[in-house]
Amino acid sequence: MKITQVEALVLEKPLARPQRNSKACRRVRRFTFVLVHTDTGLTGLGDAYGDQALMAEIIRRRLGPMACGLDPCRPGQVWEHLFSSRAFWEPGGSVVCGISAIEVACWDIWAKSEGVPVCELLGGGRREWIPAYASDLHWDEPAWMAQTAAGFVQQGFQHVKCHLGAPGQWEQDLKRLQAIRQAIGPEVGLMVDLNTGMDRTQALRFGEAIAEFDPFWLEEPLPPWDLEGHRWLEEQLPFPIATGENLYTVHGFRPAWTPPCCTYLMPDVLRCGGLGQMQQIVRQATAAGMIVTPHNYSSGVGLAATLHLMAAEEQMQLLEFDPTGTAIYEELFPQGLEVEGGRVRVPSEPGLGVELSPELIDRYQPRSRT
Ligand SMILES: [Mg+2]
């Protein structure tokens, strides 16, 4: 089988409320879907996560032409060709996100051609239901955040993650956490994500201030390369630290576990290099004593790929799940996505189990300029 064409398709979903973290404010969610076509008529679906101003061009002008002629049933070879066949290396960022999208689409094609779900090719599905936490509670009015968090718990989630730490928001952030903790009760895990917004001194002071709300973990308090800082911070604070969504490839991740920089490692399948890289990262990090809990803020394509990997790699814990209805998400699963009691079911049909129908393409055509 050969890849004959790689298509990039930008779709978007406007947001009813802005999504704000410590660094940015988003009013629309954009997705660059990647369709890998083959000479057999089989098509694979990927999602090029990354800077949305760049992704479509990276796919159309650089990676797509490089992938044509390769065999999608050998995703490792496709990865090698796209990542390491040039003298000028791109070891991270948007190019690796683009490679990840094509690699994931190749697994989709390979599994469809074999008539099995992707998890079977990753070593075999060892579990059908994946435990998940409710994510993507971005900073907002304390009462609204508390009510939304309580709604997630009512849906069955036992862990909820919020994004805080924007400059000038310290006092309000404490009010937000107080309101959320009160709304969800003492037993539900409450993760706090700072999206790399602080330096070591600020993060330590902030961590000490929020300790009374018993965080389950503090995520990305520092820039992603300051692994020593994460290690130091975890020694100072009475709760675990998490990081990893801004690291790329097994080579880029290695310093995170030699020695372990914190308790939780969070690779993202659409950023770290795809399923093959992610599987190596999961196994090596786990062997070094870290707990791998995947980052997953994307479309249903990233969700499906992560579900299949988690089905095969049982040691992975707590899928990041977006229950906000703001992504192009559940509707990509033609058989429906089962979410029940804080768990998500692994798709069982051949491939990833996701499809981008003409109706969805029409529904989410870009219309705004923000
Ligand atoms: Mg995060």
Side-chain angles (χ1 to χ4, degrees):
M1 197 187 307
K2 280 189 170 49
I3 296 171
T4 51
Q5 191 201 352
V6 180
E7 205 180 335
L9 198 55
V10 179
L11 300 179
E12 67 176 33
K13 199 165 180 176
L15 297 171
R17 291 178 90 94
Q19 289 188 338
R20 295 177 291 198
N21 60 36
S22 71
K23 294 217 161 159
C25 176
R26 195 177 290 111
R27 290 188 166 78
V28 62
R29 289 191 70 175
R30 289 194 178 83
F31 302 92
T32 306
F33 290 99
V34 174
L35 293 123
V36 175
H37 302 283
T38 65
D39 56 0
T40 64
L42 281 177
T43 296
L45 187 58
D47 172 358
Y49 189 102
D51 187 325
Q52 297 300 321
L54 304 174
M55 296 318 299
E57 289 306 294
I58 288 173
I59 296 291
R60 287 173 191 149
R61 293 167 69 102
R62 174 169 168 177
L63 297 174
M66 285 177 78
C68 284
L70 302 179
D71 181 355
C73 301
R74 297 175 185 269
Q77 288 180 11
V78 173
W79 155 263
E80 283 294 332
H81 185 74
L82 298 182
F83 184 68
S84 61
S85 67
R86 291 188 164 203
F88 180 73
W89 288 73
E90 302 263 15
S94 297
V95 172
V96 175
C97 292
I99 298 173
S100 307
I102 292 174
E103 196 256 19
V104 164
C106 287
W107 284 90
D108 188 26
I109 294 165
W110 185 22
K112 282 175 181 167
S113 74
E114 299 283 345
V116 297
V118 164
C119 58
E120 289 302 318
L121 299 180
L122 290 166
R126 295 184 173 85
R127 50 181 170 170
E128 206 177 326
W129 289 90
I130 305 297
Y133 67 91
S135 187
D136 301 310
L137 187 56
H138 292 78
W139 69 267
D140 211 303
E141 291 303 318
W144 182 84
M145 291 180 80
Q147 188 186 0
T148 306
F152 294 158
V153 175
Q154 274 168 14
Q155 290 170 44
F157 292 100
Q158 282 304 298
H159 300 79
V160 174
K161 184 163 92 184
C162 62
H163 294 263
L164 301 174
Q169 290 289 323
W170 185 296
E171 290 304 317
Q172 278 295 101
D173 279 349
L174 297 182
K175 287 180 184 158
R176 292 178 180 115
L177 282 174
Q178 185 172 28
I180 295 168
R181 178 51 86 196
Q182 202 167 2
I184 63 178
E187 302 298 326
V188 173
L190 174 55
M191 293 87 151
V192 179
D193 190 347
L194 300 184
N195 293 98
T196 73
M198 295 190 183
D199 62 28
R200 292 187 187 189
T201 307
Q202 293 167 331
L204 178 60
R205 285 181 54 222
F206 187 81
E208 288 170 344
I210 66 170
E212 64 175 300
F213 305 113
D214 190 23
F216 188 84
W217 73 50
L218 181 64
E219 179 172 329
E220 281 202 313
L222 306 171
W225 54 82
D226 187 11
L227 299 171
E228 181 55 38
H230 287 81
R231 199 174 289 125
W232 169 81
L233 201 55
E234 188 163 271
E235 284 169 11
Q236 311 297 315
L237 293 171
F239 46 81
I241 303 292
T243 194
E245 67 185 75
N246 278 295
L247 299 175
Y248 297 89
T249 79
V250 69
H251 312 292
F253 269 82
R254 186 168 294 121
W257 60 72
T258 47
C261 67
C262 56
T263 299
Y264 292 102
L265 192 65
M266 311 185 71
D268 185 317
V269 71
L270 294 180
R271 301 181 75 183
C272 76
L275 282 161
Q277 289 292 301
M278 180 99 157
Q279 195 164 39
Q280 291 184 58
I281 291 162
V282 168
R283 291 178 176 178
Q284 293 194 34
T286 308
M290 299 188 83
I291 298 170
V292 180
T293 165
H295 179 259
N296 173 45
Y297 174 72
S298 67
S299 71
V301 178
L303 173 63
T306 308
L307 282 168
H308 285 288
L309 187 63
M310 291 186 81
E313 299 290 334
E314 277 185 300
Q315 71 274 40
M316 294 174 75
Q317 296 184 14
L318 286 174
L319 165 75
E320 178 169 19
F321 185 78
D322 179 352
T324 62
T326 59
I328 301 176
Y329 214 53
E330 283 96 335
E331 60 260 71
L332 290 177
F333 295 82
Q335 310 300 324
L337 182 68
E338 289 184 66
V339 184
E340 192 181 291
R343 301 180 309 161
V344 185
R345 192 169 195 165
V346 182
S348 58
E349 54 269 35
L352 289 169
V354 284
E355 259 177 48
L356 190 58
S357 67
E359 185 216 324
L360 289 176
I361 294 171
D362 183 57
R363 190 189 308 167
Y364 295 119
Q365 278 298 315
R367 292 184 175 93
S368 71
R369 291 179 178 273
T370 51

